[in-house]
């Protein structure tokens, strides 16, 4: 995979939502882990949002807890990957 050229106006959520599934599939194949239970939107909620909705949520986020939560996400850690490798499958949450 060629290195990525990241410009000054990169939306990190788009970047992660685009590359995370490919990297997870490569990792799963390499370590023989079933990732049928992996959902990228669980970790990057904006992955399933239209760009317009992401912008609106970002504008509302200083004033709205719901908007902040819609842009939030959950942490994906190395310990979670290690646990999945031991189990041989991904378990959400």
């Amino acid at each position: 995979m060629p290195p990525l050229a990241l410009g000054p106006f990169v939306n990190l959520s788009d970047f992660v939502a685009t590359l995370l599934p490919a990297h997870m599939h490569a990792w799963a194949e390499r370590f023989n882990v079933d990732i049928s239970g992996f959902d990228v939107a669980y970790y990057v909620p904006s992955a399933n949002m239209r760009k317009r909705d992401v912008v609106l949520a970002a504008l509302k986020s200083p004033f709205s807890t719901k908007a902040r939560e819609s842009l939030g996400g959950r942490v994906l850690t190395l310990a979670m990957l290690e646990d999945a490798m031991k189990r041989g499958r991904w378990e959400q949450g």
Side-chain angles (χ1 to χ4, degrees), residues 28-90:
E29 186 175 305
R30 169 75 171 90
F31 294 104
N32 197 28
V33 176
D34 173 17
I35 59 166
S36 59
F38 181 78
D39 178 18
V40 70
Y42 183 77
Y43 299 97
V44 185
S46 61
N48 289 341
M49 296 171 69
R50 296 179 305 193
K51 290 205 182 277
R52 176 181 161 297
D53 295 334
V54 172
V55 170
L56 287 173
L59 292 172
K60 292 178 185 177
S61 66
F63 314 104
S64 166
T65 301
K66 184 178 177 183
R68 284 192 299 277
E69 288 173 355
S70 71
L71 295 173
R74 291 161 186 90
V75 176
L76 180 62
T77 67
L78 292 175
M80 295 164 79
L81 297 173
E82 180 184 19
D83 289 344
M85 289 188 301
K86 290 176 183 175
R87 282 190 306 270
R89 70 182 181 289
W90 185 264

Side-chain angles (χ1 to χ4, degrees), residues 4-16:
L4 296 171
L6 299 178
F9 302 106
V10 171
N11 180 336
L12 189 57
S13 292
D14 289 345
F15 176 73
V16 171

